[in-house]
Amino acid sequence: MKMFGLNKALSFLLCASLALESTAFAPSTTAKQSHALRAAADDQVVDEATRNARIMAPLSSIIAAVSPSLGLVSPANAAPSASAFEANMRKNFPGALTNSAISLRVAAALRDRGYTPANTLFGSSLCSDEINDTSESLVGDFQNKLGTDGVFNLGGLGGLPFVGISGMGAFIHHVPAEGKIFIVFGPHVGISDKGVVGQIERVGQTSISTSCGAGIGAYKAIMGKKGDGDAETYLGTKDFQEEYIIAKLSDRLDPLKGQEQSNESITFLTNKMYDLVWEMMRSEINAYTTKDDFWKECTEVTLLGGIVVNRGHGSGVPGGEDFYQPLMLKSLTKDGESDLYGEVFGDFPALAAPHRAAKYV
């Protein structure tokens, strides 16, 4: 009788969970808008579908708690790893998923929207650091799942699309006839095996390295701390990308001045780096999508924005896939802009937007 009662309770919880889940995955609807991409406030990242996911989380916890009594323990119900890397990743970049999980979800959504290997032009604006260009990188995963042969690299230091208007124009004009464009973008940050945000173990090196070096270098310059080497040597055109990052970050890092470097301060910095990448990306995209002739060549542009979280791959480090914290997923057509975030990531209770709005100081 006790088992029968537990089964009934579990069935009720499962039904309730599934009902909410169907709402969480419901396609979002957006009224027709301007062809220009809007600057989204932090609280606009989360839609109704994602808020429903917060209700699902307690139900999922209850199901996981009673499942062992019914002999239903599975890997999904097992206790998460308590490694320092994963603990600090979850704390500082909630909602981050492995590269393969991100590419699987987004590629499925793109296929539903008519993206195929033959009609898709793929671009990326990630930092030029080699740790973002490996066999297990996010870009590589997307190429495999989308079936695209190549990728147009838009990003420079920090992931900013330093190709500029001219480079973006060259990229856009490579789109297949009546084809579609997909761009993944964002800054990156390392988390060491010991859980230090902004540090990473690299293959072949015995000492810890910084990641993102461009972002942390700018942070140190703004905080008045001397970085590696003599910064004066690289002023002018010899280091214009880093100078641009320093100039654009300067006022945004005021809340961190006078504080010691910490996991929280580098997380704050990384989120500000994301803002820089998105602002430049939006400006370059809008330079073309606001022209009527653009939509004669291209039928849709989809943008995935977020933060790449690198893990160490040095000697004695477990290694494994990097992660990506999705912060935005938008699609733009001649009829306007659509928010796809809730449709693809709405089942996650650990959301990015409230975290990005948090005060670290």
Side-chain angles (χ1 to χ4, degrees):
M1 292 294 292
K2 181 178 180 181
M3 181 63 68
F4 178 73
L6 282 172
N7 280 333
K8 288 181 67 177
L10 181 60
S11 297
F12 172 78
L13 290 170
L14 284 171
C15 290
S17 178
L18 289 171
L20 283 169
E21 187 172 349
S22 64
T23 303
F25 279 109
S28 58
T29 56
T30 306
K32 292 185 178 181
Q33 303 173 23
S34 167
H35 293 160
L37 285 162
R38 294 177 290 105
D42 283 340
D43 58 359
Q44 291 177 315
V45 175
V46 185
D47 60 9
E48 183 178 358
T50 314
R51 286 192 291 271
N52 288 339
R54 291 175 174 170
I55 305 173
M56 290 174 60
L59 292 174
S60 300
S61 300
I62 298 171
I63 293 170
V66 302
S67 291
S69 302
L70 304 176
L72 297 178
V73 176
S74 67
N77 293 326
S81 168
S83 74
F85 166 83
E86 292 186 2
N88 281 282
M89 180 191 65
R90 293 190 183 107
K91 176 183 177 182
N92 294 288
F93 302 96
L97 296 171
T98 60
N99 287 344
S100 58
I102 290 288
S103 59
L104 184 67
R105 283 170 173 255
V106 175
L110 293 178
R111 283 193 295 271
D112 288 343
R113 299 182 71 85
Y115 284 72
T116 69
N119 72 4
T120 300
L121 177 63
F122 179 33
S124 74
S125 191
L126 303 176
C127 185
S128 45
D129 193 318
E130 80 280 354
I131 58 177
N132 296 318
D133 189 17
T134 69
S135 58
E136 294 185 334
S137 70
L138 184 63
V139 169
D141 269 325
F142 270 122
Q143 284 184 273
N144 290 333
K145 291 183 174 64
L146 292 173
T148 55
D149 291 330
V151 56
F152 195 111
N153 295 306
L154 302 160
L157 291 183
L160 279 76
F162 279 115
V163 292
I165 296 293
S166 296
M168 182 63 71
F171 166 66
I172 285 174
H173 285 98
H174 295 173
V175 66
E178 297 184 353
K180 299 173 182 289
I181 291 174
F182 171 57
I183 302 175
V184 57
F185 69 89
H188 75 123
V189 64
I191 300 181
S192 72
D193 193 47
K194 294 183 179 180
V196 180
V197 179
Q199 296 185 357
I200 196 170
E201 301 85 357
R202 295 179 186 265
V203 175
Q205 294 191 350
T206 57
S207 59
I208 290 291
S209 173
T210 57
S211 172
C212 169
I216 294 176
Y219 162 82
K220 288 182 177 180
I222 295 167
M223 295 299 114
K225 301 175 183 178
K226 187 176 181 180
D228 296 332
D230 185 3
E232 294 296 325
T233 304
Y234 304 103
L235 292 177
T237 58
K238 293 181 180 180
D239 202 21
F240 72 91
Q241 291 190 13
E242 184 70 3
E243 288 184 351
Y244 179 91
I245 293 172
I246 292 171
K248 291 296 183 179
L249 278 179
S250 184
D251 293 340
R252 304 178 195 225
L253 298 188
D254 281 347
L256 300 181
K257 291 181 178 178
Q259 298 190 39
E260 291 297 319
Q261 181 175 328
S262 64
N263 283 358
E264 289 74 21
S265 65
I266 300 304
T267 299
F268 185 91
L269 162 70
T270 305
N271 277 278
K272 296 305 177 183
M273 286 290 292
Y274 171 83
D275 292 338
L276 292 187
V277 179
W278 169 227
E279 288 166 12
M280 184 180 282
M281 175 64 68
R282 187 177 67 245
S283 175
E284 293 176 9
I285 287 287
N286 283 345
Y288 292 94
T289 59
T290 52
K291 299 178 180 178
D292 292 337
D293 287 347
F294 174 82
W295 299 108
K296 295 178 181 179
E297 302 178 20
C298 180
T299 61
E300 185 172 20
V301 177
T302 298
L303 294 155
L304 171 64
I307 295 171
V308 174
V309 181
N310 305 119
R311 67 187 312 161
H313 289 81
S315 177
V317 178
E321 287 191 82
D322 287 340
F323 286 72
Y324 186 78
Q325 182 193 34
L327 299 177
M328 186 204 75
L329 184 59
K330 293 177 182 286
S331 179
L332 190 65
T333 69
K334 64 179 181 179
D335 295 321
E337 179 183 325
S338 299
D339 187 348
L340 308 180
Y341 190 93
E343 178 185 342
V344 178
F345 301 112
D347 57 322
F348 273 79
L351 305 176
H355 181 79
R356 294 190 69 232
K359 303 295 183 184
Y360 295 109
V361 293

